Amino acid sequence: MQPLLSQACWDTLYMVGWSTLIAVVVGLPLGILLVLTDRGGLLHNAVLNKVIGQVVNIVRSMPFIILMVALMSFTRWIVGTTIGRDAAIVPLAVGAIPFFARLVETSVREVDGGLVEAVQSMGGNTWTVVRKVLVPESLPSLISATTTTVVAIIGYTAMAGTVGAGGLGDLAIRYGYQRFESQMMWIIVAILAIAIAVVQFAGDSGARVLHRRAGKGGEPFRFRKRAAFLPGGPVTADATATPGKTG
Amino acid sequence: MITTQGLTKVYRSRGREVTALDGVDLHVREGEVFGVIGQSGAGKSSLIRCVNLLERPTSGTVTVAGQDLTALAGRGARAGRELREARSRIGMVFQHFNLLSSRTVQDNVELPLEILGHSGQARSRKALELLDLVGLADKAKSYPAQLSGGQKQRVGIARALAGDPKVLLSDEATSALDPETTRSILELLRDLNRQLGLTVLLITHEMDVVKTVCDSAALMEGGQIVESGTVSELLATPGSELAAALFPVSGDASGEDRTVIDVTFHGESATQPVISQLSRTYNIDISILGAAMDTVGGKQVGRMRIELPGRYEDNVVPIGFLREQGLQVEIVENVAQEPVLLKEGVTK
Ligand SMILES: Nc1ncnc2c1ncn2[C@@H]1O[C@H](COP(=O)(O)OP(=O)(O)OP(=O)(O)O)[C@@H](O)[C@H]1O
Ligand SMILES: [Mg+2]
């Protein structure tokens, strides 16, 4: 049981690691491109924007299990097989890319257009804007997006287990569901829960540190006056108050 | 230094057309501070954004430091290399500062130098020098979120100066600041203008700003420049709205049989002697109803509203005397009528 479990842990880590990496490497530029090609964007291109948007929507609307099946021949073409942890990375990454790209899009859209303009006024080109403004300014939010994506991928790996990908999900199903050894299943559930908590905590901490530095909240206790007639007393300490743009 | 000819900007959105600029001929001389004033929607921001081609003019030309920027623009919406190079020689400061929150103050100032491809050492030397110039040497390692509005704008100005521009554009740089801070930022701009010979084109809502720092000013209305000139030229223009708004005088006649006149001084004659001379020569009592005077280049300029006893017919001679002194005299007939600009919440 012990070696089985540690092997499964490694398999899961392997699948999550690679598919996250691919999702970020492909999804980040895709998300940024969605913003840039949109109306009023620096690379405004209605056709490209529509095409990327539609592809992203279609992939996102597919249940993961269907995606796995649909991608079988593609997977075989890439890794030579449809079974095993390497094969599972393909549908995991393909599923995560549009998911992450949409999150990136939302994050990047929140960057103040004035900053883009400032860099343009200094003589920066589009690439400068992406490198010096869009990515660094949305970094806290991008870290949160990555966290969310990792958690989602961990969930998907359990499903990937059903097609012989290995990993914790696979083990849980084989032992817990097929052999009625519920102890193993509960151990795995605990491991997954802990893994997700750790990922979430790490991501949140990273995002919070950057956020605080950027002055987007987290200053020690800002007092905001509340109208006295409102329930909750006249003055409330609001630790997470977000100061306005003029800060 | 900055010249626009027949500058037109038409915004098209969802089939609707808005003409923001309608044939603007602007001329900003080298080394002067030029203020553009006007009501909201008059096209001021559109104008300043057309100067560095952040906004593409629909037609007309923009020349900065002898270089025709509109010729560099190319066809597409993207800025070519030549235009980007030209932009790097034009500094710009913004109402909301537009500092990168993810960078320290020093790194913000270094940003234009990174874009210009300067080495790390040269960048940090220049940035520290500029921060010293704007009085923020001790804040180099702070993040913008830790600064006050005035300090942020100083960083914005330091950043705008990093590329050694000859021209500085400022779109309501002080509108988000309190009066005290506004004054210190304006003084800074004025100092930079003098020390570095910087040409400044600034946009503002506040007459005080124009009065404090500008050599010349223009008034925009409906996408057109309706008045423009140096402050004393404007004063010398009868019926100038801008002059009236810059030097507002008010006050009603204290009774019937009184003549109220506005006297404009544009620096040739000193205020006090003329009025007392008038009083002595014609043996009349003069009451000053209001005055808005300023000292520009050691000379007194501005307007004064005075009241003379008797009807206009009785005062033809004294008024003639004032005109002989080279003063501009306007008879105020309907005192109740305030200048238009003043009603638009212009702070005084
Ligand atoms: N991007 C845009 N798309 C469409 N219309 C625009 C755009 N920018 C400005 N306009 C319109 O052009 C006109 C002039 O706008 P502009 O921003 O130049 O005015 P402004 O004088 O700077 O006003 P304010 O004092 O409020 O800043 C306005 O009617 C405005 O609605
Ligand atoms: Mg404006």
Side-chain angles (χ1 to χ4, degrees):
Chain A
M1 184 161 146
Q2 198 67 40
L4 268 180
L5 206 52
S6 64
Q7 180 61 40
C9 276
W10 278 118
D11 285 349
T12 297
L13 205 60
Y14 179 87
M15 287 187 286
V16 172
W18 277 108
S19 38
T20 303
L21 187 70
I22 297 169
V24 170
V25 166
V26 182
L28 182 65
L30 218 53
I32 294 172
L33 213 54
L34 275 171
V35 179
L36 292 179
T37 56
D38 200 6
R39 208 149 47 90
L42 293 178
L43 301 174
H44 176 215
N45 184 330
V47 177
L48 191 59
N49 189 266
K50 265 262 150 14
V51 170
I52 301 177
Q54 283 307 325
V55 171
V56 163
N57 284 348
I58 289 168
V59 179
R60 279 202 65 187
S61 67
M62 276 200 232
F64 183 66
I65 200 98
I66 309 279
L67 190 71
M68 270 194 310
V69 177
L71 283 176
M72 278 213 176
S73 52
F74 179 65
T75 306
R76 183 172 294 121
W77 180 62
I78 299 242
V79 281
T81 172
T82 57
I83 294 173
R85 51 183 207 174
D86 284 325
I89 290 172
V90 176
L92 283 173
V94 170
I97 287 168
F99 180 79
F100 185 66
R102 279 290 182 215
L103 294 177
V104 169
E105 185 193 2
T106 314
S107 308
V108 170
R109 261 189 218 291
E110 264 163 32
V111 175
D112 182 1
L115 301 178
V116 175
E117 204 153 82
V119 166
Q120 285 183 301
S121 79
M122 296 168 198
N125 57 20
T126 306
W127 177 230
T128 321
V129 168
V130 171
R131 236 165 8 119
K132 309 272 180 186
V133 180
L134 298 185
V135 172
E137 286 294 307
S138 58
L139 201 56
S141 177
L142 291 178
I143 290 176
S144 299
T146 311
T147 311
T148 310
T149 307
V150 171
V151 170
I153 290 177
I154 292 176
Y156 289 161
T157 56
M159 264 189 271
T162 57
V163 293
L168 289 167
D170 177 41
L171 203 60
I173 288 169
R174 275 195 284 137
Y175 279 76
Y177 182 68
Q178 287 158 358
R179 294 198 204 165
F180 301 105
E181 286 182 29
S182 54
Q183 191 198 2
M184 175 66 106
M185 193 184 72
W186 286 117
I187 290 173
I188 290 170
V189 167
I191 291 175
L192 285 174
I194 292 168
I196 286 173
V198 166
V199 167
Q200 193 70 49
F201 177 77
D204 287 354
S205 314
R208 196 168 330 111
V209 167
L210 292 176
H211 232 71
R212 186 174 303 160
R213 198 180 64 181
K216 288 169 187 159
E219 286 130 313
F221 292 106
R222 288 172 63 87
F223 288 92
R224 205 176 349 169
K225 272 217 165 65
R226 254 200 212 171
F229 54 82
L230 283 179
V235 176
T236 333
D238 188 352
T240 55
T242 311
K245 215 196 287 177
T246 47
Chain B
M1 197 67 175
I2 305 173
T3 307
T4 73
Q5 267 173 345
L7 199 63
T8 312
K9 176 72 197 179
V10 180
Y11 292 105
R12 290 190 179 82
S13 53
R14 299 197 188 87
R16 244 168 46 85
E17 288 196 354
V18 180
T19 306
L21 296 177
D22 187 7
V24 172
D25 297 316
L26 180 77
H27 185 68
V28 181
R29 277 182 293 252
E30 185 164 358
E32 76 173 341
V33 181
F34 192 105
V36 177
I37 212 154
Q39 291 171 19
S40 191
K44 307 180 296 295
S45 297
S46 303
L47 173 61
I48 206 162
R49 290 159 50 78
C50 276
V51 169
N52 61 0
L53 261 70
L54 278 180
E55 208 71 75
R56 290 300 163 92
T58 310
S59 68
T61 58
V62 176
T63 314
V64 177
Q67 194 176 26
D68 183 355
L69 298 191
T70 28
L72 302 180
R75 299 215 164 269
R78 277 163 66 196
R81 194 174 49 82
E82 283 178 312
L83 175 58
R84 282 187 274 115
E85 267 170 20
R87 274 182 188 161
S88 72
R89 292 189 292 272
I90 302 173
M92 193 167 198
V93 286
F94 303 86
Q95 179 176 2
H96 297 294
F97 324 122
N98 294 351
L99 302 176
L100 300 188
S101 61
S102 56
R103 286 176 168 238
T104 62
V105 163
Q106 181 180 345
D107 289 346
N108 263 287
V109 178
E110 285 188 21
L111 182 56
L113 301 168
E114 285 172 27
I115 293 171
L116 288 170
H118 290 205
S119 76
Q121 226 176 5
R123 287 201 309 259
S124 91
R125 184 156 22 84
K126 181 85 188 176
L128 293 174
E129 197 180 294
L130 285 167
L131 285 174
D132 198 32
L133 185 68
V134 300
L136 283 180
D138 55 329
K139 299 285 185 196
K141 297 282 176 265
S142 305
Y143 282 91
Q146 300 161 331
L147 304 182
S148 71
Q151 290 171 329
K152 282 182 199 167
Q153 196 55 292
R154 283 169 186 270
V155 178
I157 292 171
R159 182 179 68 177
L161 295 175
D164 286 324
K166 285 273 156 283
V167 173
L168 189 70
L169 307 176
S170 151
D171 192 354
E172 306 203 23
T174 59
S175 297
L177 305 174
D178 63 63
E180 186 79 13
T181 317
T182 294
R183 191 143 41 76
S184 78
I185 293 291
L186 291 177
E187 273 163 18
L188 175 64
L189 284 180
R190 190 67 185 160
D191 288 347
L192 294 172
N193 158 258
R194 296 212 175 110
Q195 280 175 29
L196 312 174
L198 200 63
T199 307
V200 182
L201 174 60
L202 63 83
I203 281 174
T204 180
H205 268 117
E206 295 154 278
M207 286 296 166
D208 270 0
V209 172
V210 176
K211 217 152 98 177
T212 324
V213 296
C214 293
D215 300 303
S216 302
L219 172 64
M220 282 195 83
E221 250 168 47
Q224 292 178 327
I225 290 188
V226 291
E227 283 180 27
S228 128
T230 63
V231 172
S232 55
E233 274 168 10
L234 290 169
L235 268 172
T237 313
S240 159
E241 257 185 71
L242 205 46
L246 279 172
F247 298 95
V249 287
S250 57
D252 288 324
S254 53
E256 294 282 310
D257 267 12
R258 293 280 195 277
T259 307
V260 177
I261 59 175
D262 284 346
V263 187
T264 303
F265 299 84
H266 30 270
E268 284 77 25
S269 37
T271 333
Q272 281 321 112
V274 178
I275 301 295
S276 53
Q277 258 175 8
L278 178 70
S279 177
R280 255 185 285 120
T281 316
Y282 299 97
N283 196 24
I284 48 176
D285 294 324
I286 298 167
S287 28
I288 297 175
L289 297 176
M293 307 294 297
D294 221 352
T295 312
V296 176
K299 291 172 177 174
Q300 275 195 303
V301 297
R303 302 196 312 155
M304 188 179 279
R305 176 166 291 184
I306 59 178
E307 189 186 54
L308 308 172
R311 295 182 179 282
Y312 173 67
E313 295 80 42
D314 309 323
N315 285 303
V316 174
V317 179
I319 290 171
F321 168 82
L322 288 174
R323 289 199 168 127
E324 266 169 41
Q325 305 297 309
L327 299 174
Q328 194 180 306
V329 180
E330 281 169 78
I331 317 298
V332 183
E333 273 158 13
N334 188 359
V335 178
Q337 206 174 342
E338 291 270 318
V340 188
L341 268 176
L342 274 180
K343 282 187 287 190
E344 298 298 326
V346 173
T347 49
K348 179 64 256 302

